[in-house]
Amino acid sequence: QVQLVESGGGLVQPGGSLRLSCAHSGSIFVITTMAWYRQTPGKQRELVATITSNGITTYGDSVKGRFTISRDNAKNTVYLQMNSLKPEDTAVYYCRTQGPTYYWGQGTQVTVSS
């Protein structure tokens, strides 16, 4: 059983930055593609970014050029650096393992507001 624990959410003003972290409990992290999703009330979860085991990244159109996903395999952790934040980035952010069997973290709230 894999456990994912997100941290780093909070309240930030428009134009500000936050860095989210997701700690993975298992030794298979190094071979696992990881992803960040986000969800706002009444909407489906939206894929924000992915990163493969060897560092290849993809981004949703709404965050390209502003968000950066990265990973530290020595720490079993994936990060999401969020810059130039907008009010529409407000959501609960979740990390997830990718693959036929996947696991979700508990989520962390990000609120962008003045």
Side-chain angles (χ1 to χ4, degrees):
Q1 183 77 12
V2 169
Q3 291 186 328
L4 303 173
V5 179
E6 298 105 333
S7 60
L11 173 64
V12 63
Q13 292 187 341
S17 298
L18 280 176
R19 189 177 81 154
L20 306 183
S21 300
C22 172
H24 182 293
S25 65
S27 59
I28 62 170
F29 175 79
V30 296
I31 62 170
T32 301
T33 295
M34 298 295 299
W36 285 97
Y37 289 76
R38 66 186 182 185
Q39 188 172 27
T40 54
K43 294 187 177 180
Q44 289 189 329
R45 288 184 187 182
E46 172 192 8
L47 178 61
V48 174
T50 66
I51 185 166
T52 66
S53 58
N54 58 357
I56 297 171
T57 59
T58 65
Y59 295 94
D61 288 341
S62 61
V63 306
K64 281 180 182 177
R66 300 188 299 123
F67 290 11
T68 303
I69 188 171
S70 62
R71 64 191 296 156
D72 185 338
N73 288 339
K75 296 182 178 180
N76 275 18
T77 300
V78 62
Y79 303 97
L80 185 68
Q81 178 66 45
M82 305 185 294
N83 298 329
S84 301
L85 282 161
K86 305 175 182 180
E88 52 263 44
D89 294 317
T90 296
V92 178
Y93 284 72
Y94 299 88
C95 67
R96 199 189 89 162
T97 60
Q98 299 291 78
T101 301
Y102 53 86
Y103 300 91
W104 291 97
Q106 84 285 355
T108 186
Q109 176 70 46
V110 172
T111 302
V112 184
S113 175
S114 55

